Amino acid sequence: MIPSRWSSSSRPPSPPASSSSASSPPAAPSPVSGSAGAPGASRRTFVLTSALATGSLLAGGAGTARAQARARAGSAGDVTVRLPAPTGPHRVGTVTLYLVDRSRPDPWDDAIPVRELVVTVHYPARSVRGCPVVPQMTPGAAALFQQIDVHIHGLPRSGVDWSATLTHAHGGAPAQPVRRPVLLHSPGGGDPRTLGTALAEELASHGYVVVSLDHPGDASEVEFPNTTAYRDRPYRTTVFRDDPRKEPRVARTMIETRIADLRFVLDRLAGLAAGRNPDALGRPLPEHLGRALDLRRVGCYGHSAGGTAVAEALYEDRRFAAAVNLEGYLSHPPEGPGQEGELYPVARYGVDRPLFLLGTDGFIGQEAARKELEASWSAMPAHPRGRIRRRRIDGATHWVFTDYAALAPQLETAGLMTADARHALVGSLPPAVSVPVVRRHVRSFFDRHLRR
C-alpha cells in the first residue's frame, strides 16, 4: 500500500545515448501494477519504460553501474543528505546476504526458476575496529534509485549524490556473542530495503538483530552480488506499472510473495543460528553472527504493503511473536466498484499475539481508500482474544515511517524540494520530532513484548 506514490506528472527518464544496444530487463507479467494497496491511482503512472531506461543504464553489469554512478554523482555542489544517528548504547555492525529459495519460482518472472532475495542484517557489534561504515546505497543501487525513485516521490532529479550518504553501521564487524531478539523488516510496496536504514540501525543499537528484506520484482531496485544463467544482470527493477489495488490478482500475489519471503528468511536464520552459512555464494559472515540470534523472540515490522505482509505473517506463522503494521491495509482490494474488499484472515479472525497498528493523520489518497484502511483496521478490536494496540501520529503522512522523514527536510532546506512536496511525502512535523516519535513507538512495543 503506497498512497499516491507515483505522480501523473512524472515521466520516465530517457535511456542514455550510449546504451542503444543494451537489452531490456525481463518483461513484466501482464497485468502488473504499482505498489501494494496504493490508493489514488489516478495520480500514479510509473511506467515500465522507466525500468527499461534503467536497464539501459546498467546493461554493462555491476562495474559499469558503479562507473556510471560515480560519473553522475558527486559533481561539484551536489548535496549529500545524512541519516539520523542511532541513540542506543551499542555500536552497529551490518552484513548483506544473498539468499536463494529453490523450492519456489519467482512470481514475477517466468524465466527465473528460484526465488532470490537480498537482505541486510544490522546487529550489535562487539568491536568496529578496522570496519568502516557503509553507504546507505551502493553506487549501482544509487544509480537505479536516481533513475526510478526520484521520479515517483517528488524528489529532485539532480543536485543530490545519493551514493554518498553514509550509514552508522560498520560492514562485517564481529557481533556480540549474546542472544538478541530478532526483527524482520518488510519495506513498502515498490520501495527498496535501504529506505528503512535509520530505523533498523536504531533498533540494532538498542540490542536487536534486524533483518531487512528486498522483495525482487516488487522493490524499485535490487542489486545482486552476481549474475546467473537465468538472470544475466546483477540487478532487478520493479515490474509494477500502476496501482495493484486496481488488479486484485496482482495485489494478492504481492502480499502472498512477501509473506513467503518472510517465512523463508526466518528458516534461513534458523540455519544461521545452528552454525550454517545461509549466503548462497558462501561469502564470509561476521564473527558470532549466528550466536547473536535468539529465535525464541522474533518480531516483524513493515511499512505499507510490508505492514500488510507482517500482520498476516503473524497470523500464519507462530514463530512470529509480535508485529508492527505501519499503515498497511488489512483487506484485499475490492473486486469491483462499490464492493468491499475481503478482510485478510488476521483481521477476519484476529490473532492471539500482539499486533501494533501505527498510522498517520495525513494518510494520502482518495476518500474511498482511507475508508478501506479504516474499515480493515477497525475490524481488529472486535475479536475478544486479540491483543491489538493502535496509535496515530499527527502532522505526518505515509512516508514518515521511512528514511524520507529525515532526508526530505534536508532537501527542502537545500532548495531542492518544495515545501508542498515535502509535506505530501512526510508531513509537516520536523525530523527532530517525527524521527524520535516513530522510533519510540516501534521500539517500546517490541521492548514490551520481546524482552521478557
Side-chain angles (χ1 to χ4, degrees), residues 45-291:
T45 56
F46 176 67
V47 187
L48 187 60
T49 49
S50 178
L52 297 179
T54 304
S56 298
L57 172 70
L58 297 185
T64 302
R66 294 184 179 95
Q68 292 182 339
R70 293 190 186 101
R72 265 214 330 267
S75 59
D78 275 1
V79 169
T80 298
V81 289
R82 291 176 170 80
L83 294 171
T87 64
H90 303 291
R91 303 294 291 272
V92 179
T94 187
V95 66
T96 298
L97 304 178
Y98 168 54
L99 309 178
V100 178
D101 184 353
R102 303 190 183 280
S103 70
R104 58 189 171 118
D106 189 87
W108 305 116
D109 190 335
D110 292 339
I112 301 180
V114 297
R115 179 62 174 164
E116 301 176 288
L117 297 174
V118 179
V119 306
T120 294
V121 186
H122 290 94
Y123 53 88
R126 186 186 66 191
S127 169
V128 298
R129 184 185 299 273
C131 301
V133 294
V134 299
Q136 181 184 22
M137 304 179 199
T138 64
L144 291 161
F145 183 88
Q146 180 68 44
Q147 288 287 308
I148 299 174
D149 293 73
V150 300
H151 297 274
I152 53 184
H153 279 303
L155 301 173
R157 297 179 183 233
S158 61
V160 184
D161 183 355
W162 295 105
S163 67
T165 298
L166 294 177
T167 69
H168 301 87
H170 299 258
Q176 296 177 12
V178 178
R179 297 292 182 187
R180 303 285 186 179
V182 176
L183 301 176
L184 272 63
H185 162 231
S186 181
D191 284 340
R193 71 190 190 281
T194 50
L195 286 182
T197 296
L199 182 54
E201 291 183 335
E202 169 72 1
L203 292 165
S205 78
H206 284 275
Y208 291 89
V209 176
V210 184
V211 184
S212 297
L213 287 69
D214 264 336
H215 302 281
D218 174 337
S220 53
E221 68 271 353
V222 181
E223 186 179 21
F224 296 93
N226 63 340
T227 58
T228 68
Y230 43 79
R231 177 178 45 75
D232 61 359
R233 296 174 182 174
Y235 70 91
R236 286 181 65 184
T237 52
T238 183
V239 300
F240 295 157
R241 291 177 288 184
D242 203 351
D243 178 7
R245 289 186 75 84
K246 292 168 61 178
E247 296 289 347
R249 178 184 64 82
V250 173
R252 285 176 181 266
T253 297
M254 178 171 63
I255 300 302
E256 290 171 359
T257 300
R258 284 168 168 258
I259 295 170
D261 289 347
L262 287 163
R263 299 181 71 173
F264 167 72
V265 169
L266 190 49
D267 291 341
R268 285 294 183 266
L269 293 178
L272 175 58
R276 297 188 292 274
N277 186 345
D279 188 83
L281 298 179
R283 295 175 296 178
L285 300 176
E287 186 180 10
H288 302 311
L289 183 60
R291 294 177 61 186

Side-chain angles (χ1 to χ4, degrees), residues 422-445:
R422 173 264 179 100
H423 291 166
L425 189 63
V426 298
S428 59
L429 282 180
V433 176
S434 63
V435 171
V437 164
V438 171
R439 288 175 164 183
R440 184 175 66 250
H441 275 304
V442 175
R443 183 164 64 86
S444 64
F445 175 80

Side-chain angles (χ1 to χ4, degrees), residues 375-387:
S376 70
W377 281 25
S378 296
M380 295 298 303
H383 303 291
R385 68 187 183 121
R387 300 175 62 186

Side-chain angles (χ1 to χ4, degrees), residues 22 42 44:
S42 62
R44 305 168 55 215

